[in-house]
Amino acid sequence: MNETSLIYIHGFNSSPQSHKAGLLRQVFEAAGAGHRLHIPTLEPQPKRAMAALETEIAGAGPVALLGSSLGGFYATWLAEHHDLPAVLVNPAVRPWALLDKYTGINHNYHTNQAYDFDPAWLDELKRYEVPEVSKPERMLLLTQTGDESLDWTDGWEYYADCHRYCGLGGSHGFDDFDAFIPLVLRFCGIELKHA
């Protein structure tokens, strides 16, 4: 019997070293299921990040997606095109309108690696826009009103027909994410021995 795995898609300028990725690792490893959690390192260029995610999906067997911020945007497109369940944490809805101020030299939050954000990448992002979610029952939005990086109402409106949770306050990183991991796993159809 195939067991569903989870692909965690980190956000802009983040990495597999992020706080949420670490919390997920602890849960999966405690259940002896570390092999069922995939956290790919994504390059900053959207086209290359999506190519890596497509490869991850192709090789992981049955999967569900969990995307945070820009990762939520990617997860939405992937869920639509591969008919996968997806949980979206404070997702970016129109990232090309948010990241235009980051063109030029940036440094990854965790690795401090420098890279040059090409303005052409904004157009690449637009190509992954999903005008309307076709299977809203397959998506769960987790958002918090205290998000300092994104306007939480953008996601609340865009994912209006999906399963939704909105917490008052919080932050872009999504405070108390560990308390929501059981809900994420249940929604994704992932059973772990100790989760």
Side-chain angles (χ1 to χ4, degrees), residues 6-148:
L6 183 68
I7 297 177
Y8 176 68
I9 307 172
H10 66 68
F12 174 71
N13 246 355
S14 191
S15 79
Q17 298 170 35
S18 74
H19 180 63
K20 286 189 288 296
L23 292 171
L24 288 164
R25 247 187 236 103
Q26 287 172 17
V27 169
F28 275 77
E29 286 171 5
H35 61 287
R36 290 171 57 197
L37 177 65
H38 304 264
I39 310 177
T41 301
L42 301 180
E43 295 200 36
Q45 181 178 2
K47 191 164 58 176
R48 295 180 77 161
M50 284 297 249
L53 290 166
E54 291 277 9
T55 300
E56 200 75 38
I57 288 170
V63 294
L65 306 173
L66 170 59
S68 176
S69 191
L70 180 59
F73 174 77
Y74 288 155
T76 301
W77 191 93
L78 292 163
E80 279 283 301
H81 288 77
H82 295 280
D83 193 21
L84 298 172
V87 179
L88 317 151
V89 180
N90 286 335
V93 175
R94 286 173 286 279
W96 55 88
L98 296 164
L99 298 179
D100 54 351
K101 59 182 173 285
Y102 289 96
T103 57
I105 300 298
N106 288 272
H107 293 83
N108 184 281
Y109 298 138
H110 303 117
T111 65
N112 207 34
Q113 185 176 351
Y115 65 92
D116 192 358
F117 190 113
D118 187 332
W121 294 356
L122 299 172
D123 290 324
E124 283 185 20
L125 283 170
K126 284 181 192 171
R127 287 189 216 125
Y128 297 112
E129 181 182 17
V130 174
E132 188 176 340
V133 174
S134 66
K135 293 188 178 174
E137 70 279 2
R138 303 275 278 164
M139 293 195 192
L140 167 62
L141 169 70
L142 299 178
T143 192
Q144 293 182 330
T145 62
D147 190 329
E148 69 283 2

